[in-house]
């Protein structure tokens, strides 16, 4: 740790679980004071209680503009400012096999949390930061927002929206010294994975199978973890990235770079095998 966030104040939405929870840890370890904002009041309060006075909790639904405005106000009142806004809260969609059977019934809630929530967090943080020397806003998208694919059309569309919005906001807010970037996690084992498979009978084996599939398409042979995302977030939050805005960084073991399968090697291996009589 290098104390690169000493004196900074951060908000982490969705900070009660998974990637957000680990990022709160990383921010505190780097010297920041943090407000955890999460819709899960019980978990959020429990997590915040594990720290000292450097961490507070504010129950917030990120899709509600009044609650997001209140979150920023409470943070400034408690810690005297706001330098870093991590718009990480998100909900998954149910994974279904194809568009023809897709009910699109979670459209409004998904867009409200995964896209509008990011927009509100960016806007309300920026309204404060613009008059107080700038800051760094980091929006969580997904590899599903970069790569088109089968299944999860609403989730992918919402996350693609996060990337485009991030670029627009970066251009708009640059004159105030506010940088806006996004991070695209891929295949990080957190509770969200099982939630996408909640409609199946055996969620546990479906989750294991899903992780197997991810392993087979990921170029890097190692598993990702919430700490990998937190490390990228600390970089965007601090001064090392002072000349970087409007970007999207996949943290995904190379999945969006391309499919790990090597069809040519497989064909070569087949040809090398002796022909059966
Ligand atoms: P998680 O389910 O562990 O954490 C999500 C957190 O967001 C939870 O604490 C939840 O209570 C909170 N939340 C949900 N709705 C909210 C709302 N309306 N207002 C405030 N808080 C709310 O999942 P994980 O994996 O840590 O997800 C974090 C972000 O990373 C999400 O935006 C997700 O879409 C994104 N992501 C995760 C990937 C992964 O492989 N785990 C892959 C791609 C993107």
């Amino acid at each position: 740790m290098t104390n690169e966030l000493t004196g900074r104040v951060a908000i982490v939405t969705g900070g009660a679980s998974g990637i957000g929870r680990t990022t709160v840890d990383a921010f505190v370890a780097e010297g920041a004071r943090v407000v955890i904002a999460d819709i899960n009041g019980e978990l959020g309060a429990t997590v915040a209680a594990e720290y000292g006075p450097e961490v507070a909790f504010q129950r917030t639904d990120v899709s509600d503009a009044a609650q997001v405005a209140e979150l920023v106000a409470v943070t400034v009142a408690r810690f005297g400012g706001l330098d870093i806004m991590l718009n990480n809260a998100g909900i998954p969609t149910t994974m279904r096999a194809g568009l023809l059977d897709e009910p699109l019934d979670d459209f409004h809630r998904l867009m409200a949390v995964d896209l509008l929530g990011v927009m509100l967090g960016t806007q309300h943080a920026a309204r404060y930061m613009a008059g107080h020397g700038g800051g760094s806003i980091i929006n969580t998208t997904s590899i599903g927002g970069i790569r088109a694919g089968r299944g999860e059309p609403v989730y992918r569309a919402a996350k693609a929206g996060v990337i485009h919005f991030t670029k627009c906001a970066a251009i708009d807010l640059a004159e105030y010294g506010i940088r806006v970037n996004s991070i695209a996690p891929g295949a990080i084992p957190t509770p969200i994975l099982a939630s996408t498979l909640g409609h199946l009978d055996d969620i546990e084996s479906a989750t294991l199978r899903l992780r197997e599939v991810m392993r087979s398409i990921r170029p890097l042979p190692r598993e990702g973890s919430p700490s990998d995302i937190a490390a990228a977030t600390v970089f965007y939050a601090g001064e090392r990235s002072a000349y970087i805005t409007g970007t999207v960084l996949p943290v995904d073991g190379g999945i969006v770079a391309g499919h790990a399968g090597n069809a040519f090697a497989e064909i070569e291996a087949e040809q090398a095998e002796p022909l059966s009589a």
Side-chain angles (χ1 to χ4, degrees):
M1 300 302 152
T2 56
N3 289 326
E4 72 173 295
L5 303 180
T6 297
R8 305 285 170 85
V9 176
I11 291 173
V12 176
T13 75
S17 171
I19 293 168
R21 166 80 185 83
T22 301
T23 307
V24 171
D25 244 8
F27 279 178
V28 169
E30 292 296 345
R33 287 168 294 162
V34 181
V35 174
I36 296 172
D38 205 289
I39 200 166
N40 188 333
E42 209 180 315
L43 191 58
T46 306
V47 169
E50 290 170 19
Y51 298 89
E54 72 277 18
V55 175
F57 173 65
Q58 174 75 9
R59 192 194 169 280
T60 310
D61 178 348
V62 295
S63 69
D64 182 316
Q67 292 186 36
V68 177
E70 176 72 6
L71 168 65
V72 172
V74 162
T75 303
V76 171
R78 164 97 190 222
F79 291 132
L82 176 63
D83 308 287
I84 301 156
M85 180 76 185
L86 172 58
N87 293 304
N88 157 81
I91 51 171
T93 190
T94 303
M95 278 192 190
R96 292 192 180 87
L99 187 59
L100 299 184
D101 296 322
E102 172 63 57
L104 301 174
D105 54 353
D106 51 5
F107 178 87
H108 293 289
R109 188 62 191 153
L110 253 160
M111 286 292 170
V113 177
D114 289 4
L115 182 54
L116 179 62
V118 169
M119 292 179 169
L120 290 171
T122 301
Q123 183 186 47
H124 286 275
R127 281 182 180 159
Y128 175 82
M129 290 171 176
H132 297 85
S136 174
I137 298 174
I138 303 134
N139 296 330
T140 306
T141 176
S142 164
I143 55 169
I146 300 174
R147 259 173 62 140
R150 299 186 70 171
E152 306 185 291
V154 179
Y155 181 78
R156 287 179 196 273
K159 292 296 189 179
V162 169
I163 294 172
H164 207 67
F165 169 73
T166 296
K167 292 177 185 175
C168 295
I171 294 165
D172 202 303
L173 299 171
E175 66 180 288
Y176 304 104
I178 301 169
R179 299 183 296 109
V180 193
N181 292 288
S182 62
I183 292 175
I188 305 297
T190 70
I192 214 170
L193 276 192
S195 316
T196 66
L197 304 164
H199 59 305
L200 298 176
D201 289 337
D202 186 350
I203 301 175
E204 204 172 316
S205 66
T207 308
L208 287 175
R209 182 76 190 97
L210 182 63
R211 288 187 64 185
E212 243 174 61
V213 171
M214 287 170 166
R215 214 169 290 137
S216 73
I217 63 168
R218 183 179 54 222
L220 281 181
R222 104 200 234 296
E223 290 281 339
S225 75
S227 304
D228 292 309
I229 310 301
T233 309
V234 168
F235 170 73
Y236 272 137
E239 283 307 302
R240 285 180 293 157
S241 59
Y243 197 50
I244 301 176
T245 195
T247 64
V248 52
L249 178 64
V251 184
D252 67 341
I255 296 172
V256 297
H259 197 289
N262 188 341
F264 185 64
E266 281 168 29
I267 294 165
E268 254 186 2
E270 278 166 24
Q271 301 256 326
E273 280 169 18
L275 290 176
S276 50

